[in-house]
Amino acid sequence: MKKNIGNALALYPTPLVVVGAMVNGKPNWLLVGHLGIMGHDHVMVSLAKAHYTNQGIRATGKLSINIVDEALLPKADRAGCVSGHKEDKSGLFRWEMSENGVPMIADAPVVMVCTAADFYGTPGFDNVICTIDATYADEKVLDQDGKLDYSVLKPVLFEMPTYQYLKTGEVLGKCMTFGKECAQE
């Protein structure tokens, strides 16, 4: 018998990312664990309304989504420990500017450069619906066909409500193979 645990959000873990945006002429970095896919070319990033980064995204309409791997985790975690309202985080990461003026973390294995297509407010949160303009990946995380290889990339995962970071696990198998086996039973 299952126990009703209320309206708990049970879609975790999610990839851990650092969102980058220009705020008042400087790059600012924000650790984010609330994001989702909205089709093949759109994602949504959910940011508490009080975050300093939000004003930069609203002003420029641009942001980067930098995937965190284990090597990037200490600095990424730091980006979540302090507010841009209180501390200048522009020097936290080595960074470069994308063609359309978005700061990208140089050491992030994968970076999506996005345009804010829409803002959707919920109590306490600014939810930014983003169009993916370009995705940059280190060659070492690509397979022979030029696609992301998550067994090499190994993004850090964020789990809630315990606020823990998890390692990406092992490959269980190819999509659409387990169901074929069930049909024969």
Side-chain angles (χ1 to χ4, degrees):
M1 177 106 179
K2 290 182 179 59
K3 179 180 179 180
N4 181 344
I5 60 170
N7 68 340
L9 183 56
L11 294 179
Y12 286 94
T14 59
L16 186 66
V17 301
V18 173
V19 168
M22 294 302 290
V23 184
N24 298 320
K26 290 182 178 181
N28 191 70
W29 312 104
L30 174 64
L31 185 68
V32 175
H34 300 95
L35 63 154
I37 298 168
M38 299 186 69
H40 290 230
D41 63 349
H42 283 78
V43 293
M44 189 272 307
V45 180
S46 185
L47 311 171
K49 287 187 184 288
H51 285 307
Y52 182 71
T53 305
N54 300 22
Q55 66 184 286
I57 296 170
R58 284 194 179 276
T60 66
K62 303 284 184 186
L63 64 146
S64 65
I65 299 173
N66 303 266
I67 294 181
V68 175
D69 62 6
E70 206 169 337
L72 198 59
L73 184 57
K75 287 184 178 183
D77 189 63
R78 178 68 186 161
C81 291
V82 295
S83 170
H85 288 292
K86 297 179 180 177
E87 184 175 305
D88 179 359
K89 295 190 278 184
S90 64
L92 184 56
F93 299 99
R94 286 185 330 106
W95 61 277
E96 52 198 46
M97 193 70 79
S98 73
E99 299 89 37
N100 60 352
V102 178
M104 304 184 301
I105 297 174
D107 297 322
V110 177
V111 180
M112 292 183 290
V113 173
C114 301
T115 297
D118 198 4
F119 293 86
Y120 179 77
T122 55
F125 289 88
D126 287 331
N127 302 288
V128 187
I129 298 169
C130 305
T131 302
I132 302 167
D133 299 328
T135 301
Y136 299 89
D138 287 343
E139 287 189 34
K140 67 183 178 187
V141 300
L142 300 176
D143 66 15
Q144 68 240 12
D145 297 323
K147 303 227 186 273
L148 291 172
D149 182 343
Y150 287 91
S151 65
V152 175
L153 172 57
K154 297 183 179 180
V156 171
L157 303 176
F158 169 73
E159 187 272 326
M160 191 173 148
T162 63
Y163 287 84
Q164 295 183 84
Y165 300 130
L166 307 172
K167 283 187 175 190
T168 306
E170 64 185 85
V171 174
L172 297 175
K174 292 278 186 189
C175 252
M176 309 298 245
T177 59
F178 294 98
K180 289 178 183 176
E181 294 170 11
C182 289
Q184 297 173 13
E185 290 179 5

